[in-house]
Amino acid sequence: MGMTLEQTALRQINGVSATKEGELHAFGISSVKDLLEYYPFRYEDYRLRSLSEAKDGDKVTVQGKIMSVPVLQRYGRKSRLTCRIMSENWMFSATWFNRHFLKDQLEAGREIVVTGKWDQKRMQMTVTDSEFPDKGSVRSGTLQPVYSIGGKITQSWIRKTMKQALQQFGEMIPEVLPSRLISKYKLMPRKQAITALHLPNDNQSGQQARRRMVYEELFLFQLKMQAFRALNRGRMDGVVHAVDNATVREFVRSLPFELTDAQKKVELEILHDMRSPYSMNRLLQGDVGSGKTVIAAIALYATVRSGFQGALMVPTEILAEQHSRSLQKLFEPFGITVGLLTGSVNGKKRKELLSSLQMGLIDIVVGTHALIQEDVYFRDLGLVVTDEQHRFGVNQRGVLRRKGYNPDVLTMTATPIPRTLAITAFGDMDVSTISERPKGRIPISTYWVKHDMMDRVLGFISREVGQGRQAYLICPLIEESDKLDVQNAIDLHVQMQQAFPTFKVGLLHGRMTPSEKEEVMRSFYDNEVQLLVSTTVVEVGVDVPNATLMVIMDADRFGLSQLHQLRGRVGRGAHASYCVLIADPKSEVGQERMKVMTETDDGFEVSRRDLDLRGPGDFFGTKQSGLPEFRIADMVADFEVLEQAREDAAALVGDAAFWTSPEYAPLREFLQQQQIFQGDLID
Ligand code: ADP
Ligand code: MG
């Protein structure tokens, strides 16, 4: 058998030295396969156009004849070179900056191709690139790929190398998609598509190439998800929670409120999964304040009543504290024990806790990620509830399983993603959505003010605190450089202490030790501190119902979903709540974003409008959303393809031939590289 592209070293490409090979490594490119799959992120357009079609301000490339002797002006080391050019019947003046060396080549009567910005009113072009057809043009008339690369690797070097690699090894590019799908969607063959992405010659083939690679990328992503899901469902060796409805009712009746219809619906979906023999992998999404915690509590209660232990994993120690306290309160009447395990539980206390867990003396443990790793053993773990930042990847679930647990997993997220998108994006999970918030909540009033209104904001804080309420004051970053002009938390804390001598001002930021943080949070819970100056440490899940005012400094520095999360810290009690955004955004988009916040407090609406304003790439590119990232596909723009790919992948995985037929060997190999082994999962 011959070599594969993966086994082909970069140095086998003519012109790639050991040094260059090392520089490519830094971009994650270590084989010819990696190189060929390093797609350009955009193209420079050097195709020839006619000035009669160009609009003022367009970047255009035109061919013409030099009509005048060039004029060179020098200003110290800078220079300006101009001449007149005739293109079709347009006569215009072309200007080069700092290209004095071109002067001798600009001979009257010679043909030239110029690229630059077209100023229609003044009939003038500022030239950025030029070439002479009589010397053999390279760029003229083409689209040139632009790669996200840097350091010592230039665009022209990587273009040249890519071309060379395609010449030497292009024939070895394998097809991976089943022929049935290729003909169903009339997709360009893989070899041709990859070549067209790197050496585009016209728009149409470029679009066809992109269409092909987008489908491939989304299909492989879905194949991984669907294979995992199918194998998981097929195993039937998950924990079976044999809990009856009457037992669950007993707990639900003890709650201080009635569940909303939306909560009841997701409760049933979760209990159904828990009772089944396959292991649950479910995403629970709902807007801030929709009441996800109590759903987690019901599931944890059900696991304990079925004779298992439960774990609740959260991203911060503050939250772990808070949740262990509220679960303790809920479960006390039922004799269910709750433990807390975080980085600051250590020494003897930690040892005791670990041994009680292992012996099954603790029913539920709340903690950070360390919970399910390292030296932590359970007697019988039945359910893991996690926060979105701890979504188990497909591979991590394999680790859990190999460790000997096969618990049900419930993942909670407050990032409101349209349901259809969530289902597709998290293809390995089932999705439950809490679509409404509890009735009777007073909507949070949101205001946007400029920095010069700070005095009035302070008056507002004073008034709320005077009425017995509490407030948050959020600043973006601590100890930032002056340049960024960001209020730092420590300074702000001092200023607030001076502004409000009659009440207590607390400070919370990420560089404090866990016990310091815990102490500050505790005093805020107990209303010993009335105003909490904080960085975004409080963002996720903190629940202090007496806090009714959220003030956010430099609000335009935050993403909309983050602002929405922060705002969700108030409006949790019986009193009317307010959110004040302080910002002087310069751009129109920045101002629009502030307006969105004042106009709606529905998280799904916020994310929809955010999407409109920022464009899909930006929004879902953020790590925060927990969504997968793609090389060439765009989850939102290519959403329909994503859905189609999901159907195709699910159908293929459901077909017995997939696991045996030689036709699918490349795809099975791909799954193995993704650490999804049929044998491993089914064994
Ligand atoms: P989130 O979904 O943001 O995690 P929480 O679970 O913290 O929301 O719930 C927000 C608040 O609403 C909590 O104080 C909780 O006790 C309360 N709550 C939850 N469900 C209901 C309900 N059905 N009726 C009234 N209040 C509820
Ligand atoms: Mg929560």
Side-chain angles (χ1 to χ4, degrees), residues 448-451 552-557 581-585 594:
W448 163 35
V449 303
K450 304 268 168 80
H451 277 99
I552 304 172
M553 305 287 291
D554 290 331
D556 51 331
R557 290 185 180 278
L581 308 171
I582 303 177
D584 300 325
M594 294 301 109

Side-chain angles (χ1 to χ4, degrees), residues 288-304:
V288 216
S290 60
K292 293 183 292 291
T293 316
V294 66
I295 298 297
I298 295 170
L300 288 166
Y301 175 85
T303 205
V304 174

Side-chain angles (χ1 to χ4, degrees), residues 289 292-293 319 322-323 387 412 414 540-542 569 572:
K292 293 183 292 291
T293 316
L319 268 188
Q322 174 186 297
H323 281 306
D387 182 272
M412 300 196 287
V540 253
V542 170
R569 298 310 110 215
R572 305 186 144 246

Side-chain angles (χ1 to χ4, degrees), residues 82-288:
T82 49
C83 74
R84 303 188 70 71
I85 293 176
M86 173 83 116
S87 175
E88 295 167 345
N89 46 6
W90 294 73
M91 175 81 95
F92 63 92
S93 138
T95 305
W96 285 256
F97 288 100
N98 309 320
R99 295 275 198 288
H100 55 271
F101 48 84
L102 284 177
K103 182 168 185 277
D104 295 339
Q105 298 173 46
L106 299 177
E107 298 157 26
R110 193 176 182 190
E111 284 285 317
I112 187 169
V113 176
V114 287
T115 302
K117 196 171 163 193
W118 176 232
D119 181 342
Q120 180 135 43
K121 271 172 251 136
R122 293 162 53 206
M123 297 290 278
Q124 195 263 337
M125 180 190 288
T126 305
V127 179
T128 48
D129 284 300
S130 51
E131 281 188 326
F132 299 97
D134 58 19
K135 274 187 22 190
S137 321
V138 180
R139 290 181 304 260
S140 307
T142 67
L143 288 167
Q144 290 289 320
V146 181
Y147 297 89
S148 86
I149 206 131
K152 294 206 177 109
I153 299 179
T154 62
Q155 294 293 336
S156 66
W157 187 85
I158 194 156
R159 283 173 193 159
K160 196 180 71 196
T161 306
M162 208 59 96
K163 199 169 178 176
Q164 183 63 35
L166 283 164
Q167 242 161 43
Q168 285 176 252
F169 304 106
E171 285 306 311
M172 288 165 64
I173 295 175
E175 183 53 76
V176 293
L177 292 177
S179 52
R180 198 175 45 77
L181 292 174
I182 293 179
S183 55
K184 180 175 169 194
Y185 299 117
K186 303 195 171 49
L187 296 174
M188 196 183 250
R190 191 159 190 270
K191 187 167 47 181
Q192 201 181 327
I194 290 184
T195 307
L197 286 178
H198 295 298
L199 307 173
N201 40 37
D202 62 75
N203 244 0
Q204 227 197 346
S205 71
Q207 271 166 17
Q208 288 300 324
R210 184 178 181 278
R211 190 171 75 87
R212 141 86 213 200
M213 296 315 290
V214 164
Y215 180 82
E216 174 184 317
E217 184 169 38
L218 296 176
F219 175 79
L220 292 180
F221 167 73
Q222 287 294 343
L223 186 71
K224 176 178 170 181
M225 295 295 171
Q226 299 304 324
F228 179 79
R229 191 184 146 109
L231 294 171
N232 188 39
R233 291 251 158 180
R235 278 179 71 95
M236 295 295 177
D237 64 349
V239 176
V240 176
H241 290 92
V243 63
D244 59 40
N245 283 334
T247 310
V248 178
R249 282 299 117 230
E250 209 183 316
F251 175 67
V252 173
R253 262 203 308 272
S254 79
L255 296 170
F257 44 72
E258 206 190 321
L259 294 184
T260 62
D261 289 345
Q263 283 171 319
K264 285 181 192 157
K265 186 172 136 272
V266 305
E267 177 204 5
L268 288 181
E269 290 166 353
I270 291 166
L271 289 174
H272 177 267
D273 274 3
M274 289 177 68
R275 287 172 177 138
S276 73
Y278 54 78
S279 58
M280 171 167 77
N281 186 17
R282 191 170 276 279
L283 181 75
L284 173 60
Q285 64 161 355
D287 202 352
V288 216

Side-chain angles (χ1 to χ4, degrees), residues 513-524:
T513 67
S515 62
E516 284 168 344
K517 281 190 223 165
E518 192 184 303
E519 176 52 27
V520 173
M521 271 325 284
R522 192 205 49 76
S523 40
F524 194 60

